[in-house]
Amino acid sequence: MNYDLIVIGSGPGGYVAAIRASQLGMKVAVVERESLGGICLNWGCIPTKALLKSAQVFEYISHSSDYGITVEGAKADFDNIIKRSRGVADGMSKGIQFLFRKNKITVLNGNGKLVRGKKVEVTDAGGSRMEYSANNIILATGARAKELPNLKIDGKKIIGYREAMNLTKQPKRMVVVGAGAIGVEFAYFYHAIGTEVTVVEFLEQGLVPREDADISKELAKHFKKSGIKVMANTAVESVATTGKTLKVKVKNRKDGKEEEIDCDVVLSAAGVTPNTENIGLEALGIITDRGMVKVDEFYHTNVAGIYAIGDIIPGPALAHVASAEGIICVENIAGKSPSPLDYNNIPGCTYCSPEIASVGYTEQAAKDAGYELKIGKFPFTASGKAKAAGTPEGFVKVIFDAKYGEFLGAHFIGANVTEMIAEVVAARKLETTGHEIIKTVHPHPTMSEAVMEAAAAAYGEVIHL
């Protein structure tokens, strides 16, 4: 019952940490109360992308005449769209089972809780308890949908992201509260298959408020054109759930104007809350700050041998961040001397349509940091590949330090741009300059040419504008 490492949680942080530890020769166990893969594989990253792909395919079919193809009688089958999404998630979870068997990782089914003496108590579904000891323990318990004081999730009329991807009936009208990645992805999905959608965002910038302002404006333009109503700088005052329909009372934070919206369901997409309750933090004296576990650059807590990664520590709540943290944490435990993670070079992706991808400084953040900037933009309307594909929406925006040419940031919006951002992440990791990007030959015709062209635009050398 003694292990070199026990990981509590099998999401993209936990399972990756466990596999890397096994590769490094450790005897590993993972505690999981639900399905392997955590929220990401089962209720987040993967199944939502399956839903979004169905929406995209339906949009292609609905606009097939734009491509010279006639299709009649197409309709979105909500039940089968949901069924396909769940099937994709189940398949990925089974893939983690295979990887655990391959790497000889023990799975301990149940709720994990820290107890003194570097031990983990696991309570199974029947209430039976067992204790396991380990030289090192990693907490990777993830997060859940955040509840607002006046927006309590009941799972039926007011729902979170888990319920949103597993509804038994497609709503005719939906209000999405929160315009971050989760909110805009579900807004796009439901609108694309025929639901009337209103997005309510508390912050003034509106859609994707943490992105560069130009990205937010471009997405707002596209959402408005497609028929999605967006209410920025607006607070939800109350939700009445007693009638046949829900009555959502909202208030504009600028002029105080109130409005009531009728809908069938409200999706709360106002962020996430870390799962740090009932895992034994207090008993061991592990320090937290507003629910987040405090760690050093290698994810060590203030208690020897106890580590924490992913959504329960400060930083971006992203699957790829949790995975990177897990690998660094384990390699440090194994004495491999890894480099700390550079949190200023983390890509962010939003998979609505058009897609959004970004890394590094926004224009405003770079100005606030005191940089003198060179900024280049290249619209996909000038891209041969984008025009041929029928997806000319959006642009690439790149930001360089005018003094040294440092690649400060990049912001993409358009079709498939989430597949393009890694070029910039690698370039920034290698300390590539703007002129080096310009002189890097990009294949033609591709969407990725826009990165080269945008860099050239920043230095007054753009060819195709």
Side-chain angles (χ1 to χ4, degrees):
M1 296 299 190
N2 184 63
Y3 295 89
D4 296 312
L5 174 68
I6 293 178
V7 182
I8 303 179
S10 72
Y15 86 74
V16 168
I19 291 172
R20 184 65 183 127
S22 178
Q23 290 174 344
L24 293 171
M26 297 184 202
K27 181 183 178 183
V28 183
V30 173
V31 182
E32 177 53 59
R33 65 185 179 187
E34 294 187 64
S35 300
L36 293 180
I39 291 298
C40 177
L41 266 66
N42 295 283
W43 298 102
C45 318
I46 304 306
T48 55
K49 303 312 163 286
L51 294 176
L52 292 165
K53 187 62 182 181
S54 291
Q56 184 187 56
V57 170
F58 184 57
E59 282 198 326
Y60 269 127
I61 293 171
S62 300
H63 295 89
S64 64
S65 59
D66 295 344
Y67 299 87
I69 299 170
T70 300
V71 177
E72 296 179 356
K75 67 176 184 177
D77 186 330
F78 186 72
D79 290 344
N80 279 323
I81 288 173
I82 297 296
K83 183 178 179 181
R84 175 181 180 271
S85 171
R86 301 313 312 149
V88 171
D90 291 344
M92 293 300 293
S93 184
K94 288 182 174 66
I96 304 302
Q97 293 176 28
F98 165 77
L99 291 174
F100 275 17
R101 289 195 299 270
K102 175 185 174 183
N103 289 280
K104 298 180 175 59
I105 295 168
T106 302
V107 178
L108 307 174
N109 296 113
N111 285 289
K113 182 179 181 180
L114 296 171
V115 293
R116 292 187 179 278
K118 288 189 182 178
K119 292 182 179 180
V120 175
E121 179 186 86
V122 179
T123 306
D124 66 20
S128 298
R129 298 179 180 181
M130 288 285 291
E131 281 192 359
Y132 304 86
S133 61
N135 298 327
N136 299 282
I137 299 168
I138 296 177
L139 304 173
T141 49
R144 63 188 183 277
K146 182 179 181 179
E147 282 195 323
L148 298 176
N150 56 350
L151 202 64
K152 295 292 184 181
I153 295 173
D154 60 21
K156 296 179 180 179
K157 294 182 178 181
I158 302 176
I159 62 174
Y161 57 82
R162 288 183 69 141
E163 295 85 5
M165 64 182 71
N166 201 30
L167 290 176
T168 57
K169 182 181 179 182
Q170 180 182 348
K172 293 181 179 179
R173 295 168 297 177
M174 171 183 280
V175 170
V176 178
V177 181
I182 294 172
V184 298
E185 286 181 7
F186 277 114
Y188 162 69
F189 165 70
Y190 275 100
H191 175 263
I193 62 171
T195 297
E196 181 183 312
V197 177
T198 300
V199 179
V200 179
E201 170 55 49
F202 186 81
L203 298 178
E204 186 175 0
Q205 184 168 315
L207 299 178
V208 288
R210 297 189 185 279
E211 296 288 346
D212 188 270
D214 286 348
I215 297 293
S216 181
K217 291 174 185 176
E218 181 73 12
L219 184 62
K221 182 174 69 176
H222 186 82
F223 268 28
K224 182 178 180 180
K225 181 180 177 182
S226 68
I228 299 173
K229 185 178 181 180
V230 178
M231 305 178 75
N233 204 17
T234 300
V236 174
E237 296 288 288
S238 63
V239 181
T241 61
T242 53
K244 289 184 178 180
T245 63
L246 280 68
K247 306 285 186 182
V248 183
K249 183 185 289 187
V250 299
K251 183 178 182 179
N252 186 281
R253 298 173 61 228
K254 186 176 182 180
D255 60 19
K257 182 181 178 182
E258 293 187 346
E259 186 175 338
E260 193 171 77
I261 309 168
D262 286 347
C263 65
D264 303 304
V265 67
V266 174
L267 168 59
S268 179
V272 295
T273 297
N275 296 320
T276 51
E277 307 93 343
N278 305 316
I279 58 173
L281 300 179
E282 298 84 1
L284 270 68
I286 293 175
I287 297 173
T288 62
D289 182 14
R290 288 173 291 184
M292 295 284 188
V293 180
K294 295 190 72 172
V295 294
D296 65 16
E297 61 185 356
F298 295 111
Y299 311 106
H300 214 155
T301 69
N302 61 298
V303 176
I306 310 295
Y307 302 81
I309 61 172
D311 296 357
I312 64 171
I313 67 171
L318 299 169
H320 45 283
V321 172
S323 295
E325 291 170 345
I327 290 172
I328 291 170
C329 180
V330 165
E331 290 183 348
N332 181 65
I333 291 171
K336 294 294 182 180
S337 301
S339 298
L341 186 60
D342 179 4
Y343 285 94
N344 192 39
N345 199 31
I346 300 296
C349 296
T350 303
Y351 300 85
C352 55
S353 182
E355 290 183 350
I356 296 167
S358 62
V359 66
Y361 289 94
T362 63
E363 179 179 347
Q364 188 59 52
K367 289 177 179 176
D368 292 344
Y371 288 102
E372 183 182 344
L373 307 180
K374 282 189 177 295
I375 297 173
K377 288 177 72 173
F378 189 81
F380 286 121
T381 52
S383 164
K385 179 64 180 294
K387 294 283 281 188
T391 54
E393 302 85 7
F395 56 81
V396 166
K397 177 179 179 178
V398 293
I399 304 169
F400 299 102
D401 170 31
K403 187 174 182 180
Y404 297 111
E406 179 186 355
F407 208 152
L408 296 177
H411 306 276
F412 302 174
I413 181 167
N416 300 315
V417 296
T418 56
E419 303 293 342
M420 293 167 51
I421 195 65
E423 173 185 352
V424 179
V425 180
R428 296 183 77 239
K429 175 73 172 177
L430 298 171
E431 300 183 350
T432 301
T433 65
H435 281 107
E436 288 172 326
I437 292 292
I438 296 169
K439 299 304 180 184
T440 300
V441 178
H442 287 62
H444 176 78
T446 61
M447 300 278 283
S448 65
E449 287 177 288
V451 179
M452 175 185 67
E453 294 276 17
Y459 288 90
E461 301 176 20
V462 64
I463 300 297
H464 292 100
L465 278 182

